[in-house]
Amino acid sequence: MEPKKTFYYSDELSDDFAPTNGKISTKKLPDDYRYIHKDPVWQIIAAFLYRLLATPIVFIFMKLAFSLKIKNKRALKKIKGGYFLYGNHTQSAADAFIPTLISFPKKANIITSPDAVSIPVCNVVVPMFGGMPLHQTIRGKVKMLNAMRYKIGKKQTVTIYPEAHIWPYYNKIRPFSAESFAYPYRMNVPAVGFTVTYRPRKVFEKLYPCITVTISDPVYPSECKDFSDMRDKIYNFMVETVEKENSCEYIKYIKRNDENESNDSM
Protein backbone atom coordinates (compact mmCIF):
# COMPACT_ATOMS: atom_id res chain seq x y z
CA MET A 1 0.00 0.00 0.00
CA GLU A 2 1.11 3.58 -0.62
CA PRO A 3 2.16 5.49 2.53
CA LYS A 4 -0.43 8.00 3.69
CA LYS A 5 2.07 10.59 4.93
CA THR A 6 5.75 11.13 5.69
CA PHE A 7 7.39 11.86 9.03
CA TYR A 8 10.93 13.18 9.24
CA TYR A 9 13.04 12.21 12.24
CA SER A 10 16.43 13.15 13.62
CA ASP A 11 17.01 10.62 16.39
CA GLU A 12 15.49 7.15 16.65
CA LEU A 13 16.04 7.10 20.41
CA SER A 14 14.45 10.41 21.39
CA ASP A 15 12.03 11.61 18.69
CA ASP A 16 8.40 11.22 19.76
CA PHE A 17 5.49 11.27 17.30
CA ALA A 18 2.73 10.52 19.81
CA PRO A 19 -0.45 12.52 19.05
CA THR A 20 -0.42 13.87 22.63
CA ASN A 21 3.25 14.89 22.57
CA GLY A 22 3.54 18.44 23.93
CA LYS A 23 -0.20 18.71 24.53
CA ILE A 24 -0.29 17.47 28.13
CA SER A 25 1.10 19.36 31.08
CA THR A 26 3.03 16.58 32.79
CA LYS A 27 2.73 16.56 36.55
CA LYS A 28 5.68 15.46 38.65
CA LEU A 29 4.97 12.28 40.58
CA PRO A 30 5.38 12.61 44.35
CA ASP A 31 8.01 10.42 46.01
CA ASP A 32 5.26 8.60 47.87
CA TYR A 33 3.19 7.88 44.76
CA ARG A 34 1.07 4.80 45.50
CA TYR A 35 1.65 1.91 43.10
CA ILE A 36 0.05 -0.76 45.30
CA HIS A 37 -3.55 -0.43 46.45
CA LYS A 38 -4.72 -2.89 49.10
CA ASP A 39 -7.91 -1.09 50.09
CA PRO A 40 -10.79 -3.59 49.49
CA VAL A 41 -13.13 -0.97 48.02
CA TRP A 42 -10.45 0.20 45.57
CA GLN A 43 -9.71 -3.39 44.58
CA ILE A 44 -13.38 -4.24 43.99
CA ILE A 45 -13.91 -1.19 41.80
CA ALA A 46 -10.68 -1.86 39.92
CA ALA A 47 -11.60 -5.52 39.33
CA PHE A 48 -15.05 -4.53 38.05
CA LEU A 49 -13.67 -1.90 35.67
CA TYR A 50 -10.84 -4.10 34.41
CA ARG A 51 -12.53 -7.50 34.13
CA LEU A 52 -16.18 -6.78 33.43
CA LEU A 53 -15.98 -3.48 31.59
CA ALA A 54 -12.61 -2.76 29.99
CA THR A 55 -11.54 -6.26 28.87
CA PRO A 56 -14.61 -7.10 26.74
CA ILE A 57 -14.73 -3.56 25.31
CA VAL A 58 -11.05 -3.74 24.41
CA PHE A 59 -11.54 -7.11 22.69
CA ILE A 60 -14.48 -5.86 20.61
CA PHE A 61 -12.76 -2.57 19.76
CA MET A 62 -9.52 -4.21 18.60
CA LYS A 63 -11.40 -6.74 16.49
CA LEU A 64 -13.64 -4.15 14.83
CA ALA A 65 -11.12 -1.31 14.48
CA PHE A 66 -7.98 -3.28 13.60
CA SER A 67 -9.17 -6.81 12.76
CA LEU A 68 -6.65 -7.93 15.37
CA LYS A 69 -4.90 -11.29 15.03
CA ILE A 70 -2.73 -12.73 17.82
CA LYS A 71 -0.21 -15.44 16.93
CA ASN A 72 1.54 -17.94 19.22
CA LYS A 73 -0.49 -17.14 22.36
CA ARG A 74 -0.20 -20.83 23.21
CA ALA A 75 3.45 -20.18 24.13
CA LEU A 76 2.27 -18.39 27.26
CA LYS A 77 0.49 -21.45 28.64
CA LYS A 78 3.80 -22.90 29.78
CA ILE A 79 4.37 -19.90 32.10
CA LYS A 80 2.82 -20.59 35.50
CA GLY A 81 3.64 -17.32 37.26
CA GLY A 82 4.09 -13.68 36.34
CA TYR A 83 6.29 -12.43 33.52
CA PHE A 84 7.42 -9.32 31.65
CA LEU A 85 6.19 -8.37 28.18
CA TYR A 86 8.21 -6.26 25.72
CA GLY A 87 6.74 -4.83 22.51
CA ASN A 88 7.38 -2.28 19.78
CA HIS A 89 5.65 1.07 20.41
CA THR A 90 3.61 2.03 17.34
CA GLN A 91 0.16 2.91 18.68
CA SER A 92 -1.41 5.15 21.31
CA ALA A 93 -4.65 3.57 22.56
CA ALA A 94 -4.01 0.17 20.97
CA ASP A 95 -0.68 -0.22 22.77
CA ALA A 96 -2.57 0.26 26.04
CA PHE A 97 -5.05 -2.45 25.02
CA ILE A 98 -2.91 -5.15 23.42
CA PRO A 99 -1.18 -6.35 26.63
CA THR A 100 -4.59 -7.00 28.20
CA LEU A 101 -5.51 -9.37 25.38
CA ILE A 102 -2.09 -11.05 25.34
CA SER A 103 -2.02 -11.57 29.11
CA PHE A 104 -5.61 -12.73 29.60
CA PRO A 105 -6.59 -14.27 31.99
CA LYS A 106 -3.69 -12.75 33.95
CA LYS A 107 -3.99 -9.05 34.73
CA ALA A 108 -1.77 -6.81 32.61
CA ASN A 109 0.16 -3.90 34.10
CA ILE A 110 1.83 -1.39 31.78
CA ILE A 111 4.71 0.99 32.46
CA THR A 112 3.46 4.34 31.16
CA SER A 113 4.58 7.92 30.84
CA PRO A 114 3.63 10.21 33.76
CA ASP A 115 1.40 11.94 31.17
CA ALA A 116 -1.08 9.10 31.62
CA VAL A 117 -1.83 10.19 35.20
CA SER A 118 -1.46 13.93 34.68
CA ILE A 119 -5.09 14.39 33.63
CA PRO A 120 -8.02 14.51 36.09
CA VAL A 121 -10.01 11.25 36.24
CA CYS A 122 -7.24 9.45 34.33
CA ASN A 123 -5.04 9.74 37.41
CA VAL A 124 -7.57 7.51 39.19
CA VAL A 125 -8.74 5.23 36.39
CA VAL A 126 -5.37 4.49 34.72
CA PRO A 127 -3.92 2.74 37.83
CA MET A 128 -7.12 0.69 38.10
CA PHE A 129 -6.54 -0.49 34.53
CA GLY A 130 -2.96 -1.48 35.41
CA GLY A 131 -1.09 1.68 34.39
CA MET A 132 2.18 2.23 36.29
CA PRO A 133 3.69 5.67 35.57
CA LEU A 134 7.46 5.73 35.27
CA HIS A 135 8.98 7.51 38.25
CA GLN A 136 11.99 9.80 37.97
CA THR A 137 13.32 10.07 41.54
CA ILE A 138 15.44 7.42 43.25
CA ARG A 139 12.89 6.91 46.03
CA GLY A 140 10.06 6.72 43.52
CA LYS A 141 11.92 4.21 41.37
CA VAL A 142 12.46 1.96 44.38
CA LYS A 143 8.71 2.04 45.07
CA MET A 144 7.98 1.24 41.43
CA LEU A 145 10.44 -1.67 41.50
CA ASN A 146 8.83 -3.04 44.65
CA ALA A 147 5.41 -2.71 42.99
CA MET A 148 6.62 -4.68 39.97
CA ARG A 149 7.89 -7.43 42.26
CA TYR A 150 4.54 -7.46 44.05
CA LYS A 151 2.51 -7.72 40.84
CA ILE A 152 4.78 -10.39 39.37
CA GLY A 153 4.40 -12.29 42.65
CA LYS A 154 0.62 -12.10 42.18
CA LYS A 155 1.08 -13.92 38.83
CA GLN A 156 0.33 -10.78 36.82
CA THR A 157 2.25 -9.38 33.86
CA VAL A 158 4.20 -6.15 33.46
CA THR A 159 4.52 -4.65 29.98
CA ILE A 160 7.38 -2.39 28.97
CA TYR A 161 7.76 -0.63 25.64
CA PRO A 162 11.58 -0.35 25.49
CA GLU A 163 11.52 1.94 22.45
CA ALA A 164 9.94 4.45 24.89
CA HIS A 165 8.44 6.81 22.31
CA ILE A 166 5.51 6.24 19.96
CA TRP A 167 6.14 6.14 16.21
CA PRO A 168 2.66 5.56 14.75
CA TYR A 169 2.45 2.61 12.34
CA TYR A 170 6.24 2.30 12.10
CA ASN A 171 6.95 -0.97 10.32
CA LYS A 172 10.47 -1.59 11.60
CA ILE A 173 12.08 -2.04 15.03
CA ARG A 174 13.99 0.86 16.57
CA PRO A 175 17.09 0.30 18.71
CA PHE A 176 16.56 0.13 22.46
CA SER A 177 18.75 -0.38 25.51
CA ALA A 178 19.02 -3.45 27.72
CA GLU A 179 18.30 -1.50 30.92
CA SER A 180 14.67 -2.61 31.38
CA PHE A 181 15.59 -6.28 30.91
CA ALA A 182 17.37 -6.23 34.26
CA TYR A 183 13.92 -6.56 35.87
CA PRO A 184 13.00 -10.08 34.68
CA TYR A 185 16.63 -11.21 34.76
CA ARG A 186 17.13 -10.28 38.41
CA MET A 187 13.63 -11.37 39.47
CA ASN A 188 14.29 -14.72 37.77
CA VAL A 189 11.10 -14.65 35.67
CA PRO A 190 10.59 -14.96 31.90
CA ALA A 191 10.62 -12.15 29.38
CA VAL A 192 8.26 -12.43 26.43
CA GLY A 193 8.46 -10.32 23.30
CA PHE A 194 5.55 -9.33 21.11
CA THR A 195 5.73 -7.62 17.75
CA VAL A 196 3.00 -5.49 16.24
CA THR A 197 3.01 -5.69 12.45
CA TYR A 198 0.63 -4.25 9.89
CA ARG A 199 -1.23 -5.84 7.03
CA PRO A 200 -3.19 -3.99 4.31
CA ARG A 201 -6.96 -4.21 4.30
CA LYS A 202 -8.72 -6.27 1.68
CA VAL A 203 -11.75 -3.99 1.91
CA PHE A 204 -11.55 -0.19 2.35
CA GLU A 205 -7.93 -0.40 1.25
CA LYS A 206 -7.19 3.29 1.88
CA LEU A 207 -7.96 3.03 5.61
CA TYR A 208 -5.24 2.46 8.21
CA PRO A 209 -3.94 -1.13 8.14
CA CYS A 210 -4.96 -4.08 10.29
CA ILE A 211 -2.83 -5.33 13.20
CA THR A 212 -1.14 -8.67 13.73
CA VAL A 213 0.53 -9.37 17.08
CA THR A 214 3.12 -12.16 17.16
CA ILE A 215 4.23 -13.44 20.55
CA SER A 216 7.67 -14.95 21.18
CA ASP A 217 8.41 -18.05 23.19
CA PRO A 218 9.38 -17.20 26.78
CA VAL A 219 13.01 -16.24 27.34
CA TYR A 220 14.22 -17.41 30.75
CA PRO A 221 17.13 -15.89 32.69
CA SER A 222 18.75 -19.32 32.87
CA GLU A 223 19.01 -19.27 29.06
CA CYS A 224 20.87 -15.94 29.02
CA LYS A 225 24.42 -14.90 29.89
CA ASP A 226 23.14 -11.61 31.31
CA PHE A 227 20.23 -9.21 30.85
CA SER A 228 21.87 -7.75 27.73
CA ASP A 229 21.72 -11.20 26.19
CA MET A 230 18.04 -11.38 27.14
CA ARG A 231 17.49 -8.05 25.39
CA ASP A 232 19.24 -9.30 22.27
CA LYS A 233 17.06 -12.40 22.07
CA ILE A 234 13.87 -10.31 22.29
CA TYR A 235 15.18 -7.66 19.88
CA ASN A 236 16.21 -10.26 17.29
CA PHE A 237 12.79 -11.89 17.55
CA MET A 238 11.11 -8.53 16.86
CA VAL A 239 13.30 -7.77 13.84
CA GLU A 240 12.80 -11.25 12.39
CA THR A 241 9.03 -11.03 12.91
CA VAL A 242 8.73 -7.68 11.10
CA GLU A 243 10.58 -9.16 8.13
CA LYS A 244 8.68 -12.45 8.19
CA GLU A 245 5.26 -10.78 8.42
CA ASN A 246 6.20 -8.23 5.73
CA SER A 247 4.75 -5.38 7.78
CA CYS A 248 3.27 -2.81 5.40
CA GLU A 249 4.27 0.86 5.35
CA TYR A 250 1.34 3.14 6.19
CA ILE A 251 3.51 6.09 7.26
CA LYS A 252 6.94 6.66 5.72
CA TYR A 253 9.75 7.68 8.10
CA ILE A 254 12.76 9.46 6.63
CA LYS A 255 15.87 10.55 8.50
CA ARG A 256 16.15 14.31 8.36
CA ASN A 257 19.07 15.93 6.51
CA ASP A 258 19.83 19.23 4.82
CA GLU A 259 18.17 18.20 1.56
CA ASN A 260 14.80 17.25 2.98
CA GLU A 261 14.70 19.85 5.79
CA SER A 262 12.45 22.13 3.75
CA ASN A 263 10.18 19.26 2.72
CA ASP A 264 9.15 18.29 6.24
CA SER A 265 5.49 17.39 5.95
CA MET A 266 4.66 17.07 9.61
Side-chain angles (χ1 to χ4, degrees):
M1 64 186 301
E2 289 295 322
K4 179 181 178 181
K5 61 177 72 171
T6 300
F7 285 173
Y8 291 89
Y9 69 91
S10 300
D11 185 353
E12 289 178 294
L13 298 177
S14 62
D15 285 0
D16 191 350
F17 297 102
T20 57
N21 186 31
K23 298 178 181 179
I24 296 176
S25 179
T26 305
K27 293 183 178 179
K28 182 180 179 181
L29 297 177
D31 280 347
D32 60 350
Y33 180 83
R34 183 180 297 182
Y35 286 99
I36 301 173
H37 297 265
K38 296 184 178 181
D39 177 72
V41 175
W42 194 98
Q43 291 184 341
I44 290 172
I45 295 173
F48 171 79
L49 291 176
Y50 184 87
R51 293 295 184 188
L52 300 180
L53 187 64
T55 301
I57 290 175
V58 162
F59 176 79
I60 293 170
F61 171 79
M62 293 300 295
K63 281 292 186 181
L64 293 179
F66 292 101
S67 189
L68 177 69
K69 291 183 180 179
I70 298 180
K71 295 184 176 182
N72 200 36
K73 197 173 188 299
R74 66 183 181 278
L76 304 178
K77 292 182 179 180
K78 60 185 77 170
I79 306 176
K80 302 304 180 183
Y83 56 90
F84 283 80
L85 279 166
Y86 294 85
N88 52 323
H89 210 1
T90 62
Q91 290 285 321
S92 296
D95 279 357
F97 300 157
I98 288 170
T100 298
L101 302 179
I102 293 176
S103 302
F104 185 84
K106 299 179 189 291
K107 181 173 182 178
N109 302 278
I110 305 174
I111 303 301
T112 70
S113 163
D115 287 355
V117 293
S118 296
I119 304 172
V121 180
C122 288
N123 64 332
V124 176
V125 175
V126 166
M128 289 184 170
F129 289 160
M132 300 177 64
L134 184 64
H135 219 297
Q136 298 301 320
T137 69
I138 294 177
R139 183 181 173 190
K141 288 180 178 179
V142 170
K143 288 177 70 67
M144 188 182 74
L145 177 60
N146 290 336
M148 285 193 286
R149 290 185 185 277
Y150 175 82
K151 293 173 187 296
I152 290 293
K154 290 289 185 179
K155 298 183 179 181
Q156 299 177 11
T157 69
V158 175
T159 297
I160 296 175
Y161 288 102
E163 293 174 331
H165 304 296
I166 298 175
W167 283 28
Y169 296 97
Y170 190 55
N171 68 332
K172 296 181 179 65
I173 303 299
R174 288 172 280 146
F176 52 79
S177 76
E179 182 179 357
S180 65
F181 291 84
Y183 301 134
Y185 188 81
R186 291 170 180 166
M187 292 184 197
N188 197 31
V189 296
V192 176
F194 68 91
T195 310
V196 172
T197 53
Y198 296 98
R199 60 186 195 277
R201 294 178 180 271
K202 296 179 180 178
V203 181
F204 305 116
E205 297 178 1
K206 293 186 178 180
L207 286 179
Y208 53 84
C210 301
I211 288 178
T212 299
V213 175
T214 306
I215 302 170
S216 78
D217 290 334
V219 177
Y220 292 88
S222 59
E223 302 170 347
C224 306
K225 294 180 293 185
D226 51 30
F227 61 84
S228 291
D229 186 35
M230 179 177 274
R231 174 266 180 204
D232 292 346
K233 291 179 188 300
I234 297 294
Y235 180 82
N236 291 338
F237 159 78
M238 290 181 177
V239 171
E240 290 168 5
T241 302
V242 164
E243 294 175 352
K244 180 180 177 182
E245 294 294 323
N246 193 25
S247 187
C248 69
E249 187 179 48
Y250 181 64
I251 295 178
K252 180 182 288 291
Y253 287 83
I254 298 177
K255 186 156 182 133
R256 189 189 304 275
N257 56 45
D258 292 339
E259 292 181 1
N260 59 38
E261 182 79 27
S262 61
N263 297 321
D264 192 334
S265 64
M266 290 191 299

